[in-house]
């Protein structure tokens, strides 16, 4: 759960950059910094998902894998944004919302699994 929350926090920072940095060049530089941070956060997230898949109940494992897949999509959208794809911002917003839904479902299932054990 911790890794999914860390990733979500980075997504909040990306959204903040869109709204708080009006200068396009500074915004792009900040988004690139965050993209690098997200890329670095993806490996620990993936490793945590593997642990859940190996040790957790199937429903929790499925939800963890959905979080990982959703994170990959958001990160890809951010990459496209930093490469100048003007349509990527809308896709980013949609992918981020999907990530948050997957994360909420994962947290719910992980907590339920913890209560059973």
């Amino acid at each position: 759960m911790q890794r999914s929350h860390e990733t979500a926090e980075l997504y909040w920072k990306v959204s903040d950059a869109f709204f708080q940095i009006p200068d396009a060049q500074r915004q792009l530089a900040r988004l690139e910094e965050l993209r690098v941070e997200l890329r670095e956060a993806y490996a620990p997230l993936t490793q945590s998902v593997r642990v859940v898949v190996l040790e957790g109940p199937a429903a929790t494992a499925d939800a963890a894998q959905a979080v990982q897949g959703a994170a990959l999509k958001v990160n890809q959208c951010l990459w496209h944004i930093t490469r100048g794809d003007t349509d990527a911002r809308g896709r980013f917003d949609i992918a981020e919302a999907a990530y948050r839904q997957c994360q909420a479902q994962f947290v719910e299932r992980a907590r339920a699994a913890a209560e059973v054990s």
Side-chain angles (χ1 to χ4, degrees):
M1 273 193 286
Q2 180 62 33
R3 299 294 183 193
S4 72
H5 288 297
E6 291 167 359
T7 299
E9 287 177 27
L10 289 169
Y11 293 148
W12 280 119
K13 290 179 181 182
V14 169
S15 294
D16 286 347
F18 287 132
F19 295 108
Q20 295 177 354
I21 305 173
D23 178 71
Q25 291 299 327
R26 285 186 51 231
Q27 185 184 83
L28 184 60
R30 179 63 178 143
L31 293 174
E32 181 61 27
E33 289 172 4
L34 291 165
R35 190 187 69 76
V36 169
E37 286 184 52
L38 281 159
R39 186 179 62 217
E40 292 171 359
Y42 190 76
L45 175 66
T46 299
Q47 184 175 353
S48 296
V49 168
R50 285 186 197 129
V51 170
V52 172
V53 168
L54 291 172
E55 297 179 5
T60 306
D62 290 345
Q65 288 176 315
V67 167
Q68 180 185 5
L72 180 60
K73 287 179 185 174
V74 180
N75 293 353
Q76 288 170 338
C77 291
L78 184 57
W79 182 84
H80 285 283
I81 290 169
T82 62
R83 298 305 176 260
D85 181 345
T86 56
D87 296 331
R89 171 66 194 279
R91 293 191 312 269
F92 174 88
D93 291 340
I94 292 167
E96 182 192 14
Y99 175 85
R100 295 202 184 278
Q101 287 179 332
C102 289
Q103 182 196 24
Q105 186 173 38
F106 167 66
V107 168
E108 181 182 306
R109 289 183 180 177
R111 286 184 177 152
E115 289 175 5
V116 171
S117 59

